[in-house]
């Protein structure tokens, strides 16, 4: 059954990848990465202070989508490999890298298979961007892949939407917790023809499946794989309008709650390291 959920999600993300990579100013506005050699994604720019100096680091970007964050990591000096389960996303990421003149390797595979298609214990940095973990059925399996990919002394960096945010029902009045906070074997099912940025056409593969998990479950999964938690920071912003009509766009490209911005966390950053 899980394979059916993943197949539906892949069909959805194949469509999203094509729409997100449009060169007409819609989607991710990728043309600026071609015309502006120093352009960074808002996500990586936000991450940069906690990422630190990544120049020369062997880096794998899991769930890289169309490669805007991956390219941004490369522009910070990392030697980057991107991995995604969507064939269209990988094709668009390769296209963007070629147009931008960046030397980035891309691999199509599910995250669970990353340590079989990429060399184990060979990366100084495993990077996962925002809006990624909810597409994976098992946080423990993910943590195992991270540990398998990291070289001794290597570091995981993840920024992700907060589990409290994923538990919110945006259609209900107020800030209402309505969906599971803890990981469940059966995912939440959604049917939506839109995506989180403006695109030129509605999606046709509209059904998707997502899994939430608590912050404690995420931290425990990493600890159980022998990683050390070096940083855990909760943020009052996210890079998309997660709660429409209740958020304000800030100068740094992030969205925060318009009223009572300190009432709940919206995202978090974890840095974890593997023993040297």
């Amino acid at each position: 059954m899980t394979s059916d959920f993943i197949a539906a999600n892949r069909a959805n993300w194949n469509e999203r990848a094509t729409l997100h990579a449009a060169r007409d100013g819609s989607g991710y506005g990728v043309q600026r990465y071609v015309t502006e050699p120093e352009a960074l994604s808002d996500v990586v720019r936000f991450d940069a202070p906690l990422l630190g100096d990544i120049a020369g680091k062997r880096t794998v970007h899991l769930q890289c989508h169309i490669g805007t964050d991956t390219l941004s990591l490369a522009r910070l000096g990392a030697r980057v490999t991107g991995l995604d389960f969507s064939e269209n996303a990988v094709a668009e990421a390769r296209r963007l890298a070629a147009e931008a003149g960046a030397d980035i390797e891309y691999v199509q595979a599910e995250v669970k298979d990353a340590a079989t298609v990429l060399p184990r214990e060979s990366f100084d940095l495993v990077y996962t961007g925002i809006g990624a973990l909810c597409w994976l059925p098992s946080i423990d399996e993910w943590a195992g892949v991270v540990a398998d990919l990291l070289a001794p002394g290597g570091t995981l960096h993840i920024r992700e939407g907060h589990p409290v945010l994923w538990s919110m029902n945006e259609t209900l009045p107020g800030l209402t917790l309505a969906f599971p906070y803890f990981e469940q074997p059966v995912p939440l099912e959604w049917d939506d023809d839109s995506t989180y940025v403006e695109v030129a056409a509605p999606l046709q593969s509209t059904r998707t499946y997502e899994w939430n998990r608590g912050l404690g479950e995420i931290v425990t999964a990493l600890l159980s794989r022998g990683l050390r938690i070096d940083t855990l920071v909760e943020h009052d912003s996210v890079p998309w309008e997660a709660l429409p009509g209740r958020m304000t766009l800030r100068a740094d490209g992030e969205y925060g709650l318009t009223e009572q911005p300190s009432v709940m966390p919206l995202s978090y950053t974890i840095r974890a390291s593997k023993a040297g």
Side-chain angles (χ1 to χ4, degrees):
M1 180 62 77
T2 299
S3 62
D4 294 336
F5 300 146
I6 300 300
N9 287 346
R10 182 183 290 109
N12 178 271
W13 279 98
N14 273 334
E15 286 191 33
R16 291 198 206 201
T18 302
L19 293 168
H20 288 174
R23 299 306 198 264
D24 61 2
S26 64
Y28 277 35
V30 297
Q31 191 61 35
R32 75 181 181 95
Y33 296 98
V34 178
T35 58
E36 302 174 28
E38 297 182 358
L40 299 178
S41 68
D42 289 338
V43 170
V44 170
R45 184 179 294 107
F46 183 97
D47 287 340
L50 287 174
L51 266 173
D53 183 5
I54 61 173
K57 288 193 175 183
R58 300 165 298 172
T59 300
V60 59
H61 179 190
L62 300 179
Q63 297 170 272
C64 65
H65 192 37
I66 61 172
T68 52
D69 294 341
T70 324
L71 175 61
S72 300
L73 295 171
R75 287 179 170 175
L76 292 178
R79 296 153 48 196
V80 194
T81 297
L83 180 142
D84 200 274
F85 78 150
S86 160
E87 56 265 34
N88 288 6
V90 169
E92 293 293 354
R94 288 172 176 159
R95 175 188 172 200
L96 177 58
E99 291 178 356
D103 182 16
I104 300 173
E105 177 187 6
Y106 285 101
V107 177
Q108 182 194 346
E110 291 184 42
V111 170
K112 68 180 181 66
D113 299 321
T116 63
V117 300
L118 296 172
R120 289 171 174 254
E121 296 194 314
S122 62
F123 294 98
D124 305 310
L125 174 65
V126 172
Y127 177 89
T128 297
I130 200 156
L133 290 190
C134 61
W135 303 102
L136 304 178
S138 168
I139 197 62
D140 186 64
E141 184 175 62
W142 168 81
V145 169
V146 170
D148 286 343
L149 291 173
L150 281 175
T155 299
L156 162 73
H157 181 105
I158 176 171
R159 184 185 176 218
E160 183 53 280
H162 201 285
V164 171
L165 175 62
W166 296 132
S167 300
M168 304 294 295
N169 186 334
E170 65 187 57
T171 68
L172 298 178
L175 298 175
T176 305
L177 295 172
F179 303 120
Y181 178 86
F182 300 106
E183 185 173 282
Q184 306 294 313
V186 177
L188 290 173
E189 179 179 319
W190 305 100
D191 197 342
D192 189 352
D193 67 359
S194 66
T195 176
Y196 47 86
V197 291
E198 272 193 46
V199 292
L203 298 171
Q204 301 301 309
S205 299
T206 59
R207 190 158 297 169
T208 57
Y209 300 88
E210 297 181 36
W211 294 263
N212 196 15
R213 60 269 312 181
L215 196 56
E217 291 177 307
I218 297 163
V219 168
T220 299
L222 293 169
L223 292 173
S224 72
R225 299 294 180 159
L227 300 184
R228 182 185 69 194
I229 304 300
D230 300 311
T231 301
L232 172 55
V233 181
E234 294 174 294
H235 310 287
D236 67 353
S237 66
V238 286
W240 83 100
E241 193 177 6
L243 299 171
R246 304 175 197 180
M247 309 191 86
T248 299
L249 179 62
R250 299 175 176 175
D252 61 359
E254 294 274 305
Y255 285 87
L257 290 173
T258 303
E259 299 180 9
Q260 296 182 288
S262 63
V263 76
M264 63 177 283
L266 298 176
S267 61
Y268 65 89
T269 297
I270 291 176
R271 285 179 62 84
S273 57
K274 187 173 182 176

